Amino acid sequence: PSPKSFQPNGTSEEALRCEIEELKQKDLALDQEIAQLLSEGYSLEELDKHISLLHEYNEIKDAGQMLLGKLAVIRGVTTKQLYPEYDLELSD
């Protein structure tokens, strides 16, 4: 095969073009969403702060889930069985 036609992992050039197009569409959709939020009065700093807080929340939640998992293993139960003991909802 010629160097031009070789793609890593057997990925075709057409598949890469499709992936690039999908990423461009996602980028455009995100730009539109940001523009709408800005038009609703949100500032970029406020949006950045919300994103930062969401990341922090997710990291804390992941740590809590990991601890619940370890506790469940120690007790020989499922994590689901621990939720009522700690007043957690399954959607938490």
Side-chain angles (χ1 to χ4, degrees), residues 7 22 58 61 70 76 82:
Q7 299 293 327
E22 287 174 14
N58 285 328
K61 184 177 177 182
K70 290 181 183 274
L82 294 175

Side-chain angles (χ1 to χ4, degrees), residues 30-48:
L30 288 172
D31 285 344
Q32 291 171 342
E33 189 175 343
I34 289 169
Q36 179 169 347
L37 289 169
L38 291 173
S39 73
E40 292 173 5
Y42 293 98
S43 68
L44 287 177
E45 294 80 18
E46 187 177 10
L47 295 173
D48 285 340

Side-chain angles (χ1 to χ4, degrees), residues 6-12:
F6 175 75
Q7 299 293 327
N9 301 324
T11 306
S12 73

Side-chain angles (χ1 to χ4, degrees), residues 1-8 11 13:
S2 70
K4 185 176 180 183
S5 66
F6 175 75
Q7 299 293 327
T11 306
E13 193 171 322

Side-chain angles (χ1 to χ4, degrees), residues 11-26:
T11 306
S12 73
E13 193 171 322
E14 184 60 31
L16 290 174
R17 282 191 185 124
C18 287
E19 187 175 350
I20 289 169
E21 187 58 36
E22 287 174 14
L23 290 172
K24 285 180 180 179
Q25 292 300 319
K26 286 181 184 180

